[in-house]
């Protein structure tokens, strides 16, 4: 069983992960539009990851006899000035998600729900990786400045990213 407060906090995080998925889907469309297919591929993988994050919480809530309620998802942004502008938005967003996961753990601790605290450690570690990934790409994009050739090399590199379904435990 799970407390009402914890149940509501999980539902909110499911919604937030689904928002992340839609935000990155919007970024797929942006990169497809400007012809950077490798960047679009990176974002497509990101969409799959966010869906997995949402489903991990979804299945966990069900396993605890909770009740999943799917909420309305806000419209994400759809326009960015350039690849760097877009990745800076990703980095900022992931920092925000980290604060949401920390908040969720705060609720679990306040509710003395040690099982949920333990489950959420995976999400905490995942956020460290998420922030590191986009911070690295931002740094590269800053480094190359207006060099279009270098941008295409990064595009080739991001085209190789493949989705590996995570084991969320
Ligand atoms: Fe689900 Fe990108 O954090």
């Amino acid at each position: 069983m799970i407390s009402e407060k914890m149940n509501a906090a999980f539902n909110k995080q499911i919604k937030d992960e689904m928002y992340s998925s839609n935000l990155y889907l919007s970024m797929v469309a942006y990169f497809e539009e400007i012809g950077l297919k490798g960047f679009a591929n990176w974002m497509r993988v990101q969409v799959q990851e966010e869906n997995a994050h949402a489903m991990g919480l979804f299945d966990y809530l069900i396993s605890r006899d909770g009740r999943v309620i799917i909420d309305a998802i806000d419209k994400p942004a759809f326009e960015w000035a350039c690849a760097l502008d877009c990745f800076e938005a990703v980095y900022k967003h992931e920092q925000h998600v980290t604060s949401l996961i920390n908040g969720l753990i705060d609720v679990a601790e306040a509710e003395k729900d040690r099982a949920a605290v333990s489950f959420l450690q995976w999400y905490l570690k995942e956020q460290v990786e998420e922030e590191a990934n986009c911070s690295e790409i931002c740094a590269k994009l800053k480094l190359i400045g207006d060099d279009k050739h270098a941008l295409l090399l990064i595009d080739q590199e991001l085209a190789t990213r493949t989705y590996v379904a995570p084991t969320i435990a």
Side-chain angles (χ1 to χ4, degrees):
M1 203 50 208
I2 197 157
S3 76
E4 240 175 76
K5 252 193 186 165
M6 202 65 246
N7 196 135
F10 265 94
N11 274 324
K12 161 111 181 16
Q13 192 61 33
I14 290 169
K15 170 193 159 135
D16 289 329
E17 298 290 346
M18 290 170 81
Y19 172 80
S20 297
S21 172
N22 276 4
L23 173 64
Y24 297 139
L25 191 57
S26 185
M27 289 174 175
V28 171
Y30 167 70
F31 281 119
E32 290 285 355
E33 189 195 359
I34 64 171
L36 290 174
K37 294 214 168 269
F39 280 86
N41 172 67
W42 194 95
M43 288 296 172
R44 282 177 195 267
V45 173
Q46 200 65 15
V47 169
Q48 288 176 286
E49 288 205 347
E50 298 304 344
N51 288 340
H53 296 169
M55 287 312 294
L57 297 161
F58 183 104
D59 288 333
Y60 182 74
L61 191 47
I62 289 170
S63 77
R64 296 285 307 275
D65 275 341
R67 176 69 167 94
V68 173
I69 307 280
I70 300 299
D71 207 344
I73 301 165
D74 294 339
K75 181 180 178 180
F78 55 90
E79 206 93 68
W80 293 272
C82 60
L84 176 60
D85 183 42
C86 189
F87 264 88
E88 280 181 333
V90 175
Y91 190 27
K92 202 168 152 208
H93 180 68
E94 288 301 336
Q95 288 172 313
H96 170 63
V97 174
T98 300
S99 74
L100 293 178
I101 299 292
N102 278 324
L104 195 51
I105 292 171
D106 286 345
V107 176
E109 282 174 346
E111 294 293 290
K112 299 196 185 328
D113 188 339
R114 293 190 177 85
V117 171
S118 163
F119 171 74
L120 290 167
Q121 298 310 303
W122 183 89
Y123 283 82
L124 213 49
K125 275 190 235 148
E126 177 73 356
Q127 281 313 120
V128 173
E129 203 183 299
E130 294 266 67
E131 285 193 31
N133 287 344
C134 44
S135 162
E136 192 187 314
I137 296 168
C138 280
K140 280 186 188 172
L141 288 170
K142 276 184 196 152
L143 204 65
I144 66 165
D146 290 332
D147 184 341
K148 294 264 189 297
H149 180 68
L151 181 67
L152 291 177
L153 287 178
I154 296 178
D155 191 58
Q156 278 175 17
E157 186 190 326
L158 298 188
T160 63
R161 187 185 191 196
T162 53
Y163 176 65
V164 180
T167 306
I168 303 174

